Amino acid sequence: ASGEKTFDDKVFLWDLIFSPDGKWLAAGGSDGMITLWDVPAGQVASRFPAHAQAVTSLAFNPGGRWLASGGLDAVIRLWDLSLISSSKP
């Protein structure tokens, strides 16, 4: 273990989900952010603000291209993962 932290100590994860093809791992946090890992590369591909409040639910479409997120802000958003680069932010 390198001791490197990905999340602030005060951020709680509300949802964690793998894409159907296993390429992506998405996490929704209490800080309203979504973190997306590129699983084969073993690194964070993107971390972005998704909601004004906690991200409480995540779901991939069957093809794995789209990620839906819902939050305590009563908003549902769709994210096109084909636009996400697999390089670190």
Side-chain angles (χ1 to χ4, degrees), residues 4 43-46 85-89:
E4 180 180 337
Q43 65 183 15
V44 172
S46 186
S85 168
S86 292
S87 59
K88 271 194 164 178

Side-chain angles (χ1 to χ4, degrees), residues 15-37:
D15 202 1
L16 187 67
I17 187 169
F18 281 97
S19 63
D21 62 3
K23 177 174 175 45
W24 303 110
L25 174 63
S30 60
D31 58 356
M33 301 288 284
I34 291 176
T35 302
L36 191 66
W37 281 272

